[in-house]
């Protein structure tokens, strides 16, 4: 339920838009972002960012699941949560590209800036 709300809850789209824009516009160096446990909102925000950067979904999923190791709990995250968010994106937008552009309102200049800053 939480994963699906990250996709279609009005405040979430604004927050993820703002996150991506802040990273794209940061001229001071590194950007640190987190939430209270660093897995739900941060996990989905990172999945969006990594998708924009062209990282394969399998790699994004493995990165998400590493939260169990780093949080020291086998049940800190479950891959079904991330899969539910992707399924909600597919259901509502037909894919991540449309979700990023229409659902989050991220323009091509922001996408280009993210790629220029974060890809070598």
């Amino acid at each position: 339920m939480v994963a699906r709300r990250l996709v279609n809850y009005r405040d979430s789209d604004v927050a993820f838009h703002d996150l991506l824009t802040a990273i794209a516009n940061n001229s001071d160096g590194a950007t640190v972002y987190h939430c209270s446990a660093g897995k739900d909102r941060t996990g989905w925000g990172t999945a969006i960012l990594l998708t924009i950067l062209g990282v394969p979904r399998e790699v994004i999923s493995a990165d998400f699941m590493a939260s169990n190791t780093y949080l020291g709990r086998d049940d800190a995250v479950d891959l079904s949560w991330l899969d539910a968010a992707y399924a909600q994106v597919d259901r509502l937008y037909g894919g991540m590209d449309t979700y990023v552009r229409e659902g989050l309102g991220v323009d091509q200049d922001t996408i280009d800036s993210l790629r220029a800053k974060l890809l070598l």
Side-chain angles (χ1 to χ4, degrees), residues 28-115:
D28 294 331
T31 300
V32 175
Y33 60 98
H34 60 87
C35 61
S36 58
K39 57 186 183 71
D40 299 316
R41 292 167 293 198
T42 302
W44 183 239
T46 301
I48 296 166
L49 177 61
L50 292 174
T51 299
I52 289 169
L53 298 177
V55 175
R57 185 167 165 183
E58 304 79 45
V59 174
I60 295 169
S61 295
D63 182 64
F64 180 74
M65 292 305 295
S67 295
N68 287 339
T69 300
Y70 293 108
L71 293 172
R73 293 179 34 210
D74 289 341
D75 63 348
V77 298
D78 190 286
L79 189 55
S80 67
W81 305 344
L82 190 60
D83 289 342
Y86 281 120
Q88 187 76 338
V89 164
D90 289 343
R91 189 176 73 74
L92 296 174
Y93 297 98
M96 288 294 285
D97 187 59
T98 304
Y99 168 65
V100 168
R101 294 172 190 278
E102 295 178 13
L104 302 181
V106 175
D107 61 27
Q108 189 62 47
D109 288 342
T110 301
I111 292 169
D112 291 344
S113 179
L114 288 167
R115 290 176 178 158

